Amino acid sequence: MKFMTSAEVRQAFLDYFVEQNHKHVMSSSLVPGNDPTLLFANSGMVQFKDVFLGIDKRDYKRATTAQKCMRVSGKHNDLENVGPSPRHHTFFEMLGNFSFGDYFKESAIEFAWQLLTEVYGLPKDRLVFTVYQNDDEAYNIWVKKIGVDPKRVARMGPKTNFWQMAETGPCGPTSEIHWDKTPELGEDSIIPMLQAEDDRFLEIWNLVFMQYNRTQADPTHTGQYDHPLPAPGVDTGMGLERIVSIIQGKTANYDTDLFMPIIKKTQEITGHTDAQRDANYVPYRVIADHIRAAVFLIADGVLPGAKGRDAVCRLVIRRAARFGTKIGLHEPFLGKVADAVIDTMGHYYTELKDRADVIKKTITREEERFRRTMDIGLTELDAMLAELPTGGTLDGEKAFYLKATLGLPIQVTKDIAEERGYHVDMSGFATAEQEHTTISGGGLAMGEMDMAEEYNAVLNQLKADKLLPPDGVEYLTYGDTTLSAKVVALTQNGHPITELGVGDKVEVVLNRTPFYVEAGGQVSDTGTIRAENWEIEVEDTRRPVGGLIIHIGEVVQGAPKVGDDVLAVVDAQRRADITRNHTGTHLLHAALRNHLGIHVQQRGSLVAPERLRFDFAHDARMTPEQLKAVETEVNQIILANYPVKSEIKSLQQAKAEGAMALFGEKYGETVRTVIIENGARYSYELCGGVHVASTADIGLFIIVSEGSVSAGVRRVEALTGGAAIAYIQEKLDTLAHVAGQLQTTPENIVHRVTALQDEISQNRKLIEKLRREIARQTFHAKIDALETIGGVSVMILQLEDTPVETIREMSDWFKGKAKSGIFVAGSSFEDKPLLMVTVTDDLTKTYQAGNIIKQIAPIIGGGGGGRPNMAQAGGKDVSKIPEALQKAREVISQMAK
């Protein structure tokens, strides 16, 4: 077995399968495009899911990939094992080869055997195999065709060697290839130890044979509902980290060249010796694993945040930072460690180098944010744990409070609690989180997923009846907005219906349609479907499964029937408004990158008829100058009348030419690109939406707001065309109205407002002067006629419209004149009551201002306090001021006793 670097292992795999006529397909994003059932891509098959289901078509039948994967939630949650385990990871690479109705078991097994033994040079006597218990075909290929000793091939049950996508649908047996870590235990014990799932073996490669279609749930695996697929497929997966550890002779994945550069970078920062590093292997491993995950997530557009995928990105960064503190790293350091990830992986995953600055900046910013909140969160957690008995369990609601309010991820809380011998009520935490999600409107994206099976049945029946071609409904949204078509199905919630009347809701399936289906932020078209004697108003258009488009609407006339010839009519004015806004988002995106930097990446959008909304990665509020510059640039491109062109080309070519992809969208091998250029290219994006023919068709572009969506994500809302004109007209009308009110012209408003502000300022100064003069006169009228209470001189004043500053000045006058005594004043100012008490220093042992104010403040509906010689209070009820002042007399009298 020859030594190979991890890069050589990956490339050798891909090169081998390319030699076997496989198409090398680049890894898809970690964010599965248009698939709400998955948080992240967790296997190589994810990007080919629709191909295996027959929904998507490719121009190849064999493929090979090195796929970026994440497993941090659901049944594939490996997070707790990361660090202590030598082989568990959050982010990993899956090497795979796939057959879409081409070769099957024999070739798949031969390919695997040849690659492992001839290309990688693994010793044949270190490889062992499993097959499904009833799969004689795979067993015979290993034993008779390949020549493997039967002692090395174990028949296994469905738990380990049968794969199914769901309770029904594609399924089939699997064959696993394992590495024998201790061959000295002999061949006779191989099968029993495989069946016992003994740690003697390390699974290297799983070959999945998609052979059947299961029509009913079959929990006991009788096979009676499994029917052969017309075109069986192959899906294989081999973890790069594991095969590299074998080839490099390492017992732990973390000791390979995939992780050691990252670990050594962390060691360089800590200054640890190798012995110190090895003694703290768990923190080093966690940091290495989590920083890989964070780097790849951010490169794919996932930014740290509070929900969904963003929460995972936040989790791995914060957990890595927390483990950094265990090895003495109390300042941000992960941005530096990210360099090692980019250096190690960036040669194949070039997006890491392209976005290196953004990746490191995002990681450092999140780490800084966490360190600001961590002390508070840990202090709260310490207090909660201190209240528990030894070995007690932290309440789930409290754990959720730490996450939701103080930003302490649940896994960090769990780590710390368990390190100290406590437990966390994870079930209670999940309940609290679910309640919060329901209240906040989250978690609703899966609402319609249960209907997919019904719509698939409709689609398959229409194809079987030749009412739709193999590719499904003909999608003609880029042409005329009016199109003749035929009704091929009428459904409600995916169930066919035969009778409809006026007022009924219905889903109409046509053999072809001009209606746009919501995608890429652009909303669906609306309009009408008309036959000779009936009409349906279309309110929405959706694609519940690939190949099927349903027009959702209400019958407004007649009785629609399947087979009727119709005219499908899109609301052309609404469509025109949408196209203006869609092209406007492309111009906005380009202008933002020009003025804020190339780190700006689209995070979401809404393209509606009345407005456009654009979310993008950026970590600061845009200044008024930046907003004006962006708006001006977009309008300049509009006025320049650049042509807007679309082209169909390969995804690989488009990306190589610099086309920008939309975050979270799924792209096939062939893509539609939208180019805005006039000699020089201004905007180039992958886009399936509808656009104007030239930028001048947009008419006008106005930014109406800019704000924050979440940490690191900003949102701009803008108007185009008629909506922008209406917005300007409204502002001009407002301007004219204000000018009229100010008795000036619109052109002179600024000068007039400035003059009024100066006038108001002078008037305020005059009013303040008059107030002070009135106060002075009131004071002098009273100073010579002070009340005496308990032998003490007391001035009690009820004032009108007197601010606190003036009352405080009056109290100073009192102390200067009276030398010894108590000053009490009550005033209403701006419809709010105010009380103040001042006691000269010689009397504070007997009469304390704070004690007096505490007893009279409740009368005006307030509270207050202060020093022994001065106190004040505010309240709610102005009418109670006289009562409060009378109460002051009583309190002073009682104190005198």
Side-chain angles (χ1 to χ4, degrees), residues 208-278:
V208 178
F209 307 122
M210 284 183 240
Q211 189 168 356
Y212 304 108
N213 179 41
R214 180 165 290 177
T215 56
Q216 292 186 41
D218 186 13
T220 59
H221 291 271
T222 62
Q224 61 181 314
Y225 306 118
D226 296 346
H227 305 284
L229 288 169
V234 173
D235 157 29
T236 84
M238 176 165 62
L240 176 67
E241 292 77 10
R242 289 194 176 188
I243 188 63
V244 169
S245 72
I246 292 170
I247 291 173
Q248 295 185 359
K250 305 297 183 181
T251 56
N253 295 352
Y254 292 98
D255 295 333
T256 68
D257 66 352
L258 284 167
F259 291 92
M260 282 310 297
I262 307 169
I263 290 173
K264 287 181 177 179
K265 183 65 177 180
T266 307
Q267 183 183 357
E268 177 187 313
I269 298 170
T270 63
H272 281 173
T273 63
D274 289 355
Q276 289 173 311
R277 181 198 70 202
D278 294 343

Side-chain angles (χ1 to χ4, degrees), residues 100-284:
F100 313 119
D102 187 23
Y103 63 83
F104 200 44
K105 294 180 185 178
E106 183 171 339
S107 293
I109 291 172
E110 287 178 341
F111 290 152
W113 176 257
Q114 186 176 37
L115 177 71
L116 292 176
T117 61
E118 297 181 20
V119 178
Y120 290 153
L122 269 59
K124 298 176 181 178
D125 61 359
R126 298 289 296 274
L127 299 175
V128 299
F129 313 89
T130 65
V131 298
Y132 183 51
Q133 58 194 12
N134 299 331
D135 192 357
D136 293 337
E137 182 183 2
Y139 182 87
N140 289 331
I141 293 170
W142 281 119
V143 173
K144 296 180 180 180
K145 179 74 174 179
I146 303 299
V148 175
D149 190 321
K151 293 181 178 181
R152 310 183 74 83
V153 185
R155 291 180 182 269
M156 306 283 280
K159 178 183 175 183
T160 59
N161 281 74
F162 196 91
W163 173 90
Q164 56 190 92
M165 186 175 290
E167 286 192 352
T168 60
C171 61
T174 71
S175 179
E176 296 175 347
I177 304 172
H178 297 255
W179 175 254
D180 188 350
K181 293 187 285 184
T182 52
E184 60 270 18
L185 294 177
E187 284 190 330
D188 291 341
S189 60
I190 286 176
I191 291 178
M193 294 182 82
L194 277 171
Q195 292 173 336
E197 299 184 38
D198 192 271
D199 191 49
R200 169 181 174 178
F201 307 105
L202 176 67
E203 181 188 337
I204 305 174
W205 206 342
N206 189 19
L207 314 180
V208 178
F209 307 122
M210 284 183 240
Q211 189 168 356
Y212 304 108
N213 179 41
R214 180 165 290 177
T215 56
Q216 292 186 41
D218 186 13
T220 59
H221 291 271
T222 62
Q224 61 181 314
Y225 306 118
D226 296 346
H227 305 284
L229 288 169
V234 173
D235 157 29
T236 84
M238 176 165 62
L240 176 67
E241 292 77 10
R242 289 194 176 188
I243 188 63
V244 169
S245 72
I246 292 170
I247 291 173
Q248 295 185 359
K250 305 297 183 181
T251 56
N253 295 352
Y254 292 98
D255 295 333
T256 68
D257 66 352
L258 284 167
F259 291 92
M260 282 310 297
I262 307 169
I263 290 173
K264 287 181 177 179
K265 183 65 177 180
T266 307
Q267 183 183 357
E268 177 187 313
I269 298 170
T270 63
H272 281 173
T273 63
D274 289 355
Q276 289 173 311
R277 181 198 70 202
D278 294 343
N280 292 279
Y281 72 91
V282 171
Y284 275 97

